[in-house]
Amino acid sequence: MLEGATALPTIETERLALRWLQDEDVPRLFEIFSDPQVMRYWSSPPLQNVSGAEALLREIRQLFAARTLFQWGVALKEDDRVIGTCTLASLSAAHRRAEIGYALGRAWWRKGYMAEALPALLRFAFSTLDLHRIEADVDPRNLPSLRSLESLGFRREGYLRERYFVSGEWQDAVLYGLLRPEAAPELTR
C-alpha cells in the first residue's frame, strides 16, 4: 500500500485538505487531543502536554512507515489550519481491510466537516488502496459519530461490553462495518 511513498497523498474536498501531518501541526494536535470533550469517547485519555502531541506525531510517522496506519491532518483549505484527523488504522493488505477513525476539534463540530472528509477518505480506501472492508469501533454514547457512520452505509455488527478502561471508567464499543460491494457508488470510484 503506497509502496515507496514517504508521505501520505493529499486528498482534497470543497473546503478541506486531508494532508500529511507536519512538525508545525504539533500545537494543533495538542489542542485537539488534549480536549476532554473531544477525547470523551476515545480509547485513550486526553494528552497532558505538548510532548504528548510530539510523541503522537512520531508514532503516526512510524506506523505509516510500517504501513499499518495512515493518519491525515484535516486542514481548512482557506488557511491550512489542522482542525482534526482522519485515520485508516490496522491496515491489512492481505485481507484488504482497515479501521476508520476520526477526531475533530470542538470549535469545528456541527459544521459538516466530517460529512465532507469521511466520504473522501472512503473513496481513497476503496479506490486507491483497493480495500474491501472498513470497520469502525465507536462508543455507543457517541451518537453524532454513530449517525455519521450510518449515513455512509456502515452497518452495526456487534456490541462489546466494557471493552476499554479510560480515565477510571469502563467504556462499551459498538462495531460497525462497510463492505465495498455495499457502499454507495460515489464512495468506490
Side-chain angles (χ1 to χ4, degrees):
M1 291 185 202
L2 300 182
E3 298 307 318
T6 58
L8 287 168
T10 297
I11 303 169
E12 292 195 11
T13 68
E14 183 181 338
R15 300 179 293 167
L16 304 171
L18 280 60
R19 65 163 177 78
W20 182 246
L21 287 162
Q22 303 164 10
D23 292 343
E24 299 78 34
D25 298 317
V26 165
R28 299 288 178 230
L29 289 174
F30 178 67
E31 179 183 322
I32 295 161
F33 290 101
S34 65
D35 185 330
Q37 286 189 274
V38 171
M39 299 299 288
R40 174 70 177 105
Y41 301 120
W42 277 64
S43 59
S44 58
L47 296 177
Q48 297 300 306
N49 49 49
V50 173
S51 64
E54 292 167 344
L56 173 63
L57 184 56
R58 280 193 305 276
E59 180 182 31
I60 289 167
R61 290 175 176 169
Q62 290 167 352
L63 294 174
F64 172 74
R67 299 302 193 260
T68 58
L69 178 125
F70 293 176
Q71 188 161 357
W72 286 262
V74 176
L76 296 172
K77 277 186 174 178
E78 64 189 37
D79 61 7
D80 199 39
R81 178 184 181 141
V82 170
I83 61 170
T85 64
C86 280
T87 308
L88 294 172
S90 302
L91 283 151
S92 170
H95 301 291
R96 294 177 49 209
R97 62 162 293 283
E99 297 172 13
I100 193 171
Y102 42 91
L104 191 64
R106 193 166 14 127
W108 297 278
W109 288 359
R110 294 184 259 310
K111 298 182 188 305
Y113 289 122
M114 278 301 146
E116 191 173 320
L118 294 179
L121 181 62
L122 290 172
R123 273 190 297 280
F124 180 85
F126 286 130
S127 299
T128 304
L129 299 181
D130 194 31
L131 296 181
H132 176 74
R133 177 180 171 79
I134 309 292
E135 300 172 355
D137 167 347
V138 184
D139 188 303
R141 299 169 295 179
N142 190 347
L143 298 178
S145 189
L146 296 176
R147 283 192 295 272
S148 292
L149 292 170
E150 289 168 357
S151 73
L152 291 165
F154 279 79
R155 293 184 187 179
R156 182 176 165 156
E157 297 181 342
Y159 193 99
L160 301 175
R161 298 173 302 136
E162 297 183 1
R163 185 169 195 212
Y164 300 107
F165 188 73
V166 180
S167 301
E169 169 187 61
W170 285 106
Q171 296 179 352
D172 295 345
V174 179
L175 302 181
Y176 276 79
L178 178 63
L179 302 178
R180 183 183 182 145
E182 298 170 349
E186 64 271 13
L187 299 178
T188 60
R189 54 181 134 107

